Amino acid sequence: MAPLSCPETFGRAEKWSHLRMPTCDRKAARSIVTAVLRAGVAWTLRGEERRAWREVSRMHGVVLSHLSPGLGPATPAELVDLLQQQLSSWIELDWEAIDPNLGSLTVLHGDSITDGAVEAGGEYVEALLSVDGGFDNGSDWLPSWAWQTAEQVERTFYRGMKSLSAAEYSRARAMVIEVPCGTASELLTQYEERQVSRVDAYEPIARDRLHVSPSGSWFWPCPGCRYPMLLRGGWLRCEYPPHDVYRYSLAPGEGDELPVLAGAAGRDRAEPRRADGVLCLAWGIWRFICCPGLAEVSLMRWLEAKKYFTSGRIVRWENRDAWDIGIYSPDGWQLRVDVKDVADPRRILDRLPAGETIVLPWHRAAQARELAGLLASVTTPDGLPYEVLTDRQFRTKISGLIKKATASR
């Protein structure tokens, strides 16, 4: 991977713990974040995986490839030491160009990967090299969040859906979002009731989501998305950041009883379920298809409940997901809606939405002004200007349009 070329002048640091990073290449900055996350999780697996040290060394090389000669940790071991510190304390770059929260990210705590690193992996991991270039992405030994990207998952998932009709495609998308886990018989029932062809999306529950006791294996579905929650260090939590409210400490149960959930007062409580024979969505499909789809389906149901829209006026994932929702008013107005749930709104510029109405879910509402500014100078592929709305603003707008249309009849 070639070093950055940048018109800025590199400042020489007095010691390698304070690095100077050019700020002209956001993709390079994201590559550094990917490298430190992969190095961190590889370090935690060094006792059981012979490739771990090689991975740490490779990621050390990726970090150095983006720095001026002479800067950066001199050895992979020094890189591991730095992973115990906040990124902003040893890599000096414009963290606003990625996400300011990443500057305070610590990848390792002792010999354990931090929760923040796992969350960052779901949002920021990128493919560092193409598979065609002989790059081992670690898919057979690294956790999914450390190597899977949204683009990879989407390509594979949608390729498997190409043979479906538009109606079958829509029903299959809905099932993946609404049915994140179930026994083989439960999934078969869902396929039949929804008239959906079987999709290659489900697999056995991962070990780090199971509690194994003399009474059998158990898991806790997240109250927000129903996906098996992660068990780590005496904590039970959902990895989807907006569902971080569903976080519980576990106290040992008496005898063979299940652990007791604490910290659940006043909130939806996760309830244990037997894991025997249960399959769940592959992690990448859950994280990159199911989770963003929760906001999409919520809006779809809200629109479909409006008596104003007759049958067929609300189209889900229209034209095989060219845009998320097509809205066709009986009074002639129409909207094409794309719901965007991404940590870095600037990534939306890399692949401009086809829908002219961009809706941000409640947990991304703070991005509205920035995204509107970014999209102000561009248009949809067919030349329409973009409008950026929060979920609440969108619902208010639709309610106002319906009220105006019905009042004028």
Side-chain angles (χ1 to χ4, degrees):
M1 189 174 294
L4 288 175
S5 59
C6 184
E8 298 171 89
T9 301
F10 288 89
R12 283 287 176 179
E14 293 182 1
K15 56 182 179 178
W16 55 261
S17 61
H18 294 282
L19 311 179
R20 175 66 61 180
M21 169 75 188
T23 59
C24 60
D25 193 331
R26 287 179 52 250
K27 182 171 178 56
R30 294 177 67 90
S31 293
I32 286 183
V33 172
T34 299
V36 298
L37 291 174
R38 289 176 65 98
V41 73
W43 174 255
T44 67
L45 299 173
R46 68 192 184 281
E48 57 193 80
E49 174 54 57
R50 59 181 177 79
R51 290 170 286 185
W53 260 113
R54 180 188 177 198
E55 184 66 18
V56 172
S57 298
R58 291 200 307 174
M59 295 304 103
H60 173 244
V62 171
V63 172
L64 293 185
S65 74
H66 291 297
L67 300 174
S68 187
L71 298 183
T75 66
E78 289 177 348
L79 172 63
V80 171
D81 287 341
L82 290 176
L83 298 183
Q84 308 277 348
Q85 303 176 26
Q86 293 186 358
L87 297 186
S88 59
S89 72
W90 62 278
I91 298 181
E92 187 176 343
L93 59 84
D94 182 5
W95 290 100
E96 295 294 331
I98 318 171
D99 184 328
N101 293 325
L102 283 181
S104 60
L105 175 65
T106 300
V107 177
L108 292 176
H109 179 71
D111 278 344
S112 299
I113 201 79
T114 64
D115 288 346
V118 176
E119 292 177 3
E123 298 282 2
Y124 296 101
V125 163
E126 294 191 344
L128 296 177
L129 295 173
S130 68
V131 176
D132 294 339
F135 178 63
D136 172 19
N137 66 3
S139 60
D140 62 339
W141 66 282
L142 289 173
S144 297
W145 62 262
W147 62 270
Q148 278 195 330
T149 70
E151 292 77 12
Q152 290 170 334
V153 172
E154 288 171 356
R155 280 198 303 269
T156 302
F157 180 76
Y158 295 139
R159 186 164 54 243
M161 305 266 279
K162 284 179 61 176
S163 62
L164 302 181
S165 68
E168 290 173 329
Y169 177 92
S170 178
R171 293 195 294 268
R173 279 292 302 271
M175 177 169 170
V176 166
I177 296 166
E178 296 171 346
V179 188
C181 64
T183 63
S185 61
E186 289 170 342
L187 294 177
L188 181 59
T189 298
Q190 288 291 332
Y191 284 131
E192 293 175 347
E193 291 180 352
R194 294 169 180 265
Q195 299 180 315
V196 173
S197 300
R198 298 191 187 187
V199 292
D200 184 18
Y202 297 89
E203 63 184 22
I205 300 174
R207 288 180 299 174
D208 58 4
R209 299 172 190 277
L210 293 175
H211 172 77
V212 181
S213 70
S215 63
S217 296
W218 299 79
F219 74 99
W220 284 263
C222 169
C225 61
R226 310 306 301 166
Y227 193 71
M229 301 176 78
L230 185 69
L231 284 160
R232 179 181 287 126
W235 287 90
L236 178 70
R237 57 185 289 268
C238 181
E239 290 176 286
Y240 183 43
H243 293 172
D244 193 53
V245 293
Y246 306 119
R247 177 189 289 261
Y248 314 96
S249 61
L250 297 175
E254 296 183 6
D256 294 342
E257 293 183 1
L258 288 172
V260 177
L261 270 59
R267 292 184 280 150
D268 293 334
R269 185 180 181 86
E271 297 294 340
R273 177 179 171 182
R274 282 194 174 274
D276 301 329
V278 175
L279 302 174
C280 67
L281 293 174
W283 183 90
I285 294 177
W286 166 73
R287 184 61 185 82
F288 302 122
I289 304 294
C290 172
C291 288
L294 296 172
E296 298 168 7
V297 169
S298 176
L299 272 187
M300 292 168 181
R301 291 173 175 168
W302 181 80
L303 289 164
E304 290 164 349
K306 299 289 184 183
K307 295 181 180 179
Y308 173 76
F309 294 110
T310 55
S311 177
R313 296 289 186 173
I314 304 300
V315 184
R316 296 184 170 203
W317 300 292
E318 192 167 20
N319 295 339
R320 295 176 178 272
D321 213 7
W323 46 86
D324 295 327
I325 311 173
I327 302 177
Y328 299 93
S329 159
D331 293 287
W333 54 270
Q334 62 185 48
L335 294 174
R336 299 175 302 179
V337 178
D338 266 312
V339 182
K340 292 300 179 184
D341 180 6
V342 294
D344 182 1
R346 282 152 291 205
R347 299 199 74 182
I348 294 174
L349 296 177
D350 298 335
R351 188 170 60 183
L352 289 173
E356 69 279 358
T357 302
I358 309 298
V359 177
L360 301 177
W362 64 267
H363 55 278
R364 304 293 188 192
Q367 297 176 350
R369 180 175 296 181
E370 178 185 7
L371 183 56
L374 292 170
L375 294 174
S377 59
V378 296
T379 62
T380 65
D382 55 356
L384 294 177
Y386 287 104
E387 180 181 29
V388 179
L389 301 170
T390 65
D391 181 278
R392 177 177 295 182
Q393 290 170 335
F394 175 78
R395 294 175 191 243
T396 299
K397 174 176 179 173
I398 294 298
S399 296
L401 289 172
I402 293 175
K403 183 177 181 180
K404 181 179 179 180
T406 53
S408 63
R409 289 179 179 176

